[in-house]
Amino acid sequence: YINPKQMRFSCSSTEDDAANAPATFSFVVPKKEISMVPDMGKWRRSQAYADYMGFILTLNEGVKRKKLTCEYKVSETVEKLLDLLGTLDRWIDETPPVDQPSRFGNKAYRTWYSKLDQEAEALVATVLPESSAPAAQEIAVYLKEAVGNATRIDYGTGHEAAFAAFLCCLCKVGALRVDDQMAMVFRVFNRYLEVMRKLQKTYRMEPAGSQGVWGLDDFQFLPFIWGSAQLVDHPTLEPRHFIEDKVVNEHYPDYMFLECIKFINEMKTGPFAEHSNQLWNISAVPNWAKVNQGLIRMYKAECLEKFPVIQHFKFGSLLSVQPVKP
């Protein structure tokens, strides 16, 4: 549990908060701070951990019992973020995979990534209000970390976490606000997922630190958390239903969780219980509220408490390694 009082101005609700926030500290280029397993305590006690987890849980509450297709506000910043993701998508089309002997990890990904590496700061600048312009360099680091690793040509939950951190930073500088919560998950994060799936398919990216059939999913985790929140108290759909193709095909446009299942079904062959054992187990949980709580616990244990994931996390002025003030 994260005490909301320990979160620093996560999503500002007024213009004043946004205008005052960036002036209070100078921005820095984020860097890694967790270099050995004993450093994990530093991460768990950090302001960054409190802010990150608080952000995930705030969005979790914001999308409870809501369909992807329901009505919600789409702000100018959200539109700009969708344009940014559209640019990344277009670059995939402009960078076709190359012929190479190995099936996995197509090297054209590195060409695609180098474009982002060069343009990230300029792309982020288009999303920021003028008052927060100096934050572009700091926030751009999280965008670059969110699309996979160019050396290993892999993608996993640590990269996904960097995208959530990217959105969290945009909240902290006042670019995104409290009333953007639903659009952040349903429009921005969902579009990000589409682009990541396209990257994974086009360049045959390896899963980073995958636990194989014992992990929840090869690549993602957050859409299962927020997707299960959407389904809390659903009148007809129960967890046992998501393993039925008919249910998935009928309801995936409304529910992120089912969209994820649909993608798994397209990518994997054989019995669901064998290729996605953890999800199969979840289908036996009696209700979505329990699924949601269980997934949050699992996310902390399997992703945020794991050194191989967190060693890559970068800390700056917005997501600080300093311990939470009591």
Side-chain angles (χ1 to χ4, degrees), residues 160-225:
E160 178 190 73
F163 191 75
F166 168 69
L167 295 179
C168 182
C169 289
L170 290 174
C171 280
K172 281 173 159 278
V173 298
L176 290 167
R177 313 200 172 291
V178 176
D179 56 1
D180 288 317
Q181 277 178 34
M182 282 169 68
M184 262 187 257
V185 178
F186 292 171
R187 292 294 291 277
V188 180
F189 190 79
N190 222 6
R191 182 72 177 105
Y192 163 76
L193 277 184
E194 283 175 8
V195 178
M196 292 309 104
R197 285 170 184 154
K198 188 165 169 178
L199 276 178
Q200 290 152 19
K201 273 183 174 168
T202 305
Y203 303 122
R204 300 300 299 268
M205 295 177 79
E206 299 268 20
S210 165
Q211 298 162 308
V213 295
W214 304 111
L216 186 66
D217 178 76
D218 280 342
F219 297 111
Q220 314 298 154
F221 204 116
L222 291 174
F224 292 95
I225 295 179

Side-chain angles (χ1 to χ4, degrees), residues 76-96:
E76 197 184 342
T77 304
V78 168
E79 294 284 11
K80 287 174 179 172
L81 281 166
L82 295 172
D83 288 344
L84 182 157
L85 291 165
T87 301
L88 302 191
D89 192 339
R90 194 181 72 245
W91 289 346
I92 302 174
D93 296 333
E94 292 168 4
T95 319

Side-chain angles (χ1 to χ4, degrees), residues 263-303:
F263 184 66
I264 290 171
N265 288 341
E266 285 168 8
M267 298 299 281
K268 303 211 164 177
T269 53
F272 192 90
E274 286 176 22
H275 63 62
S276 301
N277 191 263
Q278 280 281 25
L279 283 167
W280 176 263
N281 292 338
I282 286 169
S283 73
V285 176
N287 62 62
W288 288 108
K290 280 198 164 71
V291 170
N292 186 240
Q293 290 157 3
L295 285 173
I296 290 166
R297 280 197 304 273
M298 187 177 168
Y299 185 61
K300 288 179 181 171
E302 297 301 322
C303 299

Side-chain angles (χ1 to χ4, degrees), residues 127 132 141 143 157-158 179 185 204 207 218 259 262 287 289:
V127 175
S132 310
V141 169
L143 179 63
T157 49
D179 56 1
V185 178
R204 300 300 299 268
D218 280 342
E259 221 175 29
K262 182 173 177 282
N287 62 62

